[in-house]
Amino acid sequence: MRGRRGDRMTINIQEHMAINVCPGPIRPIRQISDYFPRLGPEGGGSGAGPQAQLSPGTGAAATPSLMPLTLSPGAGIRGAGASEEGAEVDSYDSDDTTALGTLEFDLLYDQATCTLHCSILRAKGLKPMDFNGLADPYVKLHLLPGACKANKLKTKTQRNTLNPVWNEDLMYRGITDEDITRKVLRISVCDEDKLSHNEFIGETRVPLRRLKPSQKKHFNICLERQVPLASPSSMTAALRGISCYLKELERAEQGQGLLEERGRILLRLTYSSQRHGLLVGIVRCAHLAAMDVNGYSDPYVKTYLRPDVEKKSKHKTSVKKKTLNPEFNEEFFYEMELPALATKTLEVTVWDYDIGKSNDFIGGVSLGPNSRGEALKHWRDCLRQADATLERWHTLTSELPPAAASFSA
């Protein structure tokens, strides 16, 4: 409608928004032939040809450049069906499939030495994380279930690449056959950022039961998104074994009657028939629980031979600073005849040394006639095989021996 000269035309808000603002995301046109005529399924020329006119509302003839598309018979139907069915796939985030990249690595469980060897080889096609379209990737390893800080291993960072090559060997000590049956190795690829928090790229998880003793297994798999987890109190049974925050999960998985695992210790026992006594070797500890705010501990080990009426059986190693995998290689001797030793219990406790306050208890294990599992077997083998050196790994638990609390200094 034409207004009179001098009158100001008014446009309501609906018309204004329709003219100036796109009403929403552009969606696929269901009938493409309305604008781009194409041959029918029979391949013959149907209604719309070069002389086809545009919409009558436009008032302009069709331009010669808008020619019908030449397709093979049936292509129109196949193309339309693909666009209808593939719309959801096209909108699917490609990061959920292979766009995070692939990771190549080897795993080897050495049953004789109780070690798990993890060879991180290379990654390909990682997701770009930086403004330059590249990333600064590194790899982290965690054993689940278990304390996140205590068993973390990490490779070096490769700068400005989406196809990093590490060729690094990382090793877990104190891995037993029981660990192989129940633990999962989580391998995460992250991008290092010096100005802010490091960013997660992708991960994969390998149940250790897939490994055979002393046989190297090669992996070349696609990275996956990190599984989003709620707080530990709201986790369900379906999420067991996939979180680093596992205090609550471990109780649920292991049973309420079992104790929290706090690390491993490698002990060497020998009953010397010549010296008439027990040699106790404190070799090393592995992935201890972190007790300090810096994510580490200052561990040392104490041993007692109970019952100890005169309180003379205490021995203590040196303190190893800022580590969760200390190596001691110290040996203590208890002079005692074999029949008397059979009634005793060797208590081994690991502590975190603190200046100016009480030391923190990390974990302990008892070897004696009332022990169970590997601890009982190690103790009996030592008494039966005089002069034989027996070296075994033992799990440290959160149980504080009754008499140990008064000897924390």
Side-chain angles (χ1 to χ4, degrees), residues 228-246 248-249 252:
L229 294 176
S231 61
S233 59
S234 63
M235 291 180 185
T236 62
L239 298 176
R240 291 176 185 169
I242 59 174
S243 170
C244 288
Y245 316 103
L246 288 171
E248 197 166 318
L249 283 177

Side-chain angles (χ1 to χ4, degrees), residues 70-101:
T70 303
L71 300 176
S72 60
I77 295 178
R78 289 195 299 268
S83 63
E84 291 287 339
E85 297 176 1
E88 183 177 354
V89 176
D90 292 341
S91 64
Y92 193 73
D93 191 351
S94 62
D95 287 350
D96 289 337
T97 52
T98 60
L100 296 178

Side-chain angles (χ1 to χ4, degrees), residues 35-67:
Y35 296 93
F36 297 93
R38 62 179 65 188
L39 295 177
E42 295 79 10
S46 55
Q51 293 81 16
Q53 302 293 319
L54 291 178
S55 175
T58 60
T63 57
S65 60
L66 293 178
M67 300 293 292

Side-chain angles (χ1 to χ4, degrees), residues 260-265 288 348 350 363-365 394-398:
E260 180 186 355
E261 183 179 317
R262 307 298 290 272
R264 303 293 170 87
I265 187 168
L288 297 176
V348 181
V350 183
V365 61
H394 296 278
T395 300
L396 300 171
T397 67
S398 56

Side-chain angles (χ1 to χ4, degrees), residues 91-112:
S91 64
Y92 193 73
D93 191 351
S94 62
D95 287 350
D96 289 337
T97 52
T98 60
L100 296 178
T102 62
L103 181 65
E104 194 172 349
F105 58 95
D106 293 331
L107 297 180
L108 171 65
Y109 170 54
D110 191 336
Q111 192 176 29

Side-chain angles (χ1 to χ4, degrees), residues 126 128-138 157-165 191-192:
L126 295 180
M129 304 298 291
D130 299 335
F131 290 113
N132 59 2
L134 301 174
D136 301 319
Y138 65 93
T157 301
Q158 301 297 323
R159 301 290 178 186
N160 295 323
T161 179
L162 299 180
N163 302 284
V165 177
D191 171 60
E192 184 178 286

Side-chain angles (χ1 to χ4, degrees), residues 69 71 134 183 213 223 232 253 264 272 295 307 332 346 384:
L69 300 178
L71 300 176
L134 301 174
K183 285 188 177 289
L223 296 173
E253 185 176 53
R264 303 293 170 87
S272 175
F332 308 123
L346 178 66
R384 292 170 182 171

